[in-house]
Structure formats: C-alpha cells, structure tokens
Amino acid sequence: MDKTKILVVEDQTIVALNIRNRLKNLGYAVPSAVGSGKEAIREAELTNVDIVLMDIMLKGDMDGIEAARIIKSRFGIPIIYLTACTDFETLERAKLTDPEGYISKPFKEEDLCKNIETALLKSRSKKKKSESF
C-alpha cells in the first residue's frame, strides 16, 4: 500500500521542516510544504495528497482557515489544523470548515499520528458511503 501523502502548510520554514521530518519519521510521505494559502490550494490540486496539515496564520492575504475552506470544497481533502492559534474566536471560525482535527502547537508526535489516522479513517468511511449510493 502507498504511503499516506500529507501536504504541510506552514509559513515558518524551520517549523515546516521540523513537521516534515517528524511526519517522515512516522512513515508518511510529504510531497510538499508551502507557506501561503494560495500555494496550499495549488499544491492540493497538483499533488493529490490524502490530507492537509494547515497552520492558520500564513504569509499573504489568505489565512489557513480560508485556504482550508477552499481546499475542502474544491477537492474534498481532509484538513487538520496544526496551529498556535487557540483563542475562542479563531476556533469558532475554524469549526465552520468542518476540520478533521485541531492540534495546538507545540505538539506531540503521538497526537499528530492519532489525529491523522482518525481523519483518514473518517475520510475513507465517507467515501465508501458516498460510493454506495
């Protein structure tokens, strides 16, 4: 079976590299890491990833919540927020995108892995249900 492909959306290069390395150590493939919402949308379309790890605060005029909304609506790719933004208002905005997870930074690899596997299971289950109709 192919490795799960994860798009990392993080505007801080060092943090993105750390996340990428940790994901690879967990056995996932990371075809791309980008730092803006527009790049995230483009990469989601081009790389056929299984899941997106999305920071909320990004470079450019589009935040991660808006990018997540577009990615989910256009491509149906599951989104997990991996962010330092934990205030109530931001959480409420993020919930409107129906994310599969919301992980606060700093994070533990165990939490990351559990959220990814749960999100993939839910996504596959949704696909099977829609294919059966």
Side-chain angles (χ1 to χ4, degrees), residues 3-90:
K3 285 185 176 183
T4 298
K5 292 181 285 186
I6 300 174
L7 170 61
V8 174
V9 184
E10 167 62 60
D11 65 339
Q12 296 181 20
T13 305
I14 292 173
V15 175
L17 288 171
N18 178 282
I19 293 168
R20 180 182 223 160
N21 289 338
R22 291 170 85 172
L23 289 169
K24 287 183 175 183
N25 288 340
L26 291 167
Y28 300 110
V30 183
S32 187
V34 298
S36 75
K38 289 179 182 177
E39 290 174 311
I41 294 164
R42 186 185 73 240
E43 288 298 310
E45 182 176 24
L46 296 175
T47 58
N48 194 31
V49 295
D50 299 299
I51 199 160
V52 176
L53 284 182
M54 179 75 71
D55 191 11
I56 290 176
M57 301 303 290
L58 300 173
K59 293 178 184 172
D61 57 354
M62 181 186 302
D63 70 4
I65 295 172
E66 179 62 15
R69 184 191 66 74
I70 293 168
I71 289 169
K72 282 198 78 156
S73 67
R74 285 190 191 169
F75 314 115
I77 301 170
I79 305 288
I80 295 175
Y81 290 108
L82 179 59
T83 186
C85 296
T86 58
D87 63 279
F88 182 75
E89 186 177 307
T90 301

Side-chain angles (χ1 to χ4, degrees), residues 83-128:
T83 186
C85 296
T86 58
D87 63 279
F88 182 75
E89 186 177 307
T90 301
L91 178 59
E92 288 300 306
R93 279 187 60 226
K95 283 175 23 181
L96 295 174
T97 64
D98 191 29
E100 277 65 31
Y102 197 100
I103 304 170
S104 298
K105 293 178 189 173
F107 63 92
K108 297 177 184 173
E109 281 186 14
E110 181 180 329
D111 292 336
L112 187 61
C113 187
K114 286 178 185 177
N115 272 269
I116 291 169
E117 292 304 315
T118 301
L120 291 170
L121 183 64
K122 286 169 53 177
S123 177
R124 290 176 186 134
S125 178
K126 283 181 187 177
K127 284 181 184 175
K128 282 183 182 177

